[in-house]
Amino acid sequence: MTAIRLTKELYFTTSTVIDWMDVFTRPTYKHIVIDSLRYCQENKGLEIYAWVLMTNHLHMIVGMADYKSDKASIGDVLRDFKKFTSKGIVKAIVDNQQESRKEWLMDRCWFRGANDSKIKNYKFWQDGSYIETIYTYEFLVEKLNYIHNNPVRQEIVDRPEQYLYSSARNYSGDKGLLDVMIIK
């Protein structure tokens, strides 16, 4: 864990599943997202400061590593992340013999893809990602608390650090699923 001060451009982002479908209720699908975020950290210069994966959306506070920032923007990285995870999650749904919602999920993904000229087959994520530049430390702390308390507000857990798919574990001193840069 590395502590940072607000000395670089950071962003609050949200990526949402089409129709707000609750897809991330199965660990298999969640880990496709986790593995892809880890890849983006290791290969695309994505710096993650906070994150939470809920049943149908992903919130993050992110930045770009200085050595990579001239090669790709945060928008480019999120676009590639969503394209890759979309294909991987759709394939995992199709291949999952225990997925009781398979027909419904695939129908929604097909319908959204068929009505979008940019999509060849299935659409998983809503268009674009919400990206908001963080300009003040106060706004940063507000978004950090918002992210970590999301599972508490949804009554999934009592305390943020109990939720496995979040950086709240890192901030409490435990090992999380992803390495993050701690905000002080």
Side-chain angles (χ1 to χ4, degrees), residues 1-129:
M1 289 189 291
T2 305
I4 64 108
R5 300 207 190 302
L6 194 55
T7 59
K8 65 178 347 184
E9 201 160 76
L10 299 181
Y11 308 92
F12 171 73
T13 72
T14 303
S15 298
T16 306
V17 175
I18 57 157
D19 298 336
W20 289 84
M21 295 186 309
D22 289 323
V23 176
F24 301 119
T25 56
R26 312 265 196 258
T28 300
Y29 311 144
K30 292 177 189 177
H31 284 278
I32 292 169
V33 170
I34 302 301
D35 292 343
S36 185
L37 287 173
R38 189 174 298 112
Y39 176 87
C40 290
Q41 286 178 300
E42 294 169 357
N43 298 285
K44 293 186 172 273
L46 182 68
E47 295 178 335
I48 301 175
Y49 296 86
W51 68 281
V52 64
L53 180 61
M54 299 299 291
T55 61
N56 52 25
H57 64 284
L58 170 68
H59 290 301
M60 297 187 291
I61 295 174
V62 295
M64 292 298 293
D66 292 333
Y67 72 94
K68 294 278 186 175
S69 61
D70 60 329
K71 297 181 184 189
S73 71
I74 194 65
D76 293 338
V77 172
L78 290 177
R79 178 200 62 225
D80 293 350
F81 160 80
K82 286 172 63 174
K83 184 176 180 181
F84 180 81
T85 55
S86 179
K87 290 177 183 177
I89 292 166
V90 165
K91 181 179 182 331
I93 292 169
V94 169
D95 293 348
N96 186 348
Q97 298 305 312
Q98 282 76 46
E99 179 55 77
S100 60
R101 308 165 302 160
K102 183 186 307 194
E103 186 176 320
W104 176 75
L105 290 169
M106 295 310 300
D107 180 60
R108 296 310 310 149
C109 292
W110 175 84
F111 178 77
R112 290 297 183 171
N115 290 298
D116 187 331
S117 61
K118 300 181 302 286
I119 304 296
K120 291 182 184 173
N121 296 311
Y122 298 99
K123 182 173 186 165
F124 180 78
W125 296 103
Q126 288 183 11
D127 283 341
S129 293

Side-chain angles (χ1 to χ4, degrees), residues 148-149 151-152 157-174:
H148 288 163
N149 284 302
V152 176
V157 294
D158 292 327
R159 293 187 319 275
E161 63 274 9
Q162 293 173 321
Y163 191 62
L164 182 61
Y165 298 95
S166 166
S167 56
R169 297 172 71 84
N170 303 79
Y171 279 80
S172 72
D174 290 337

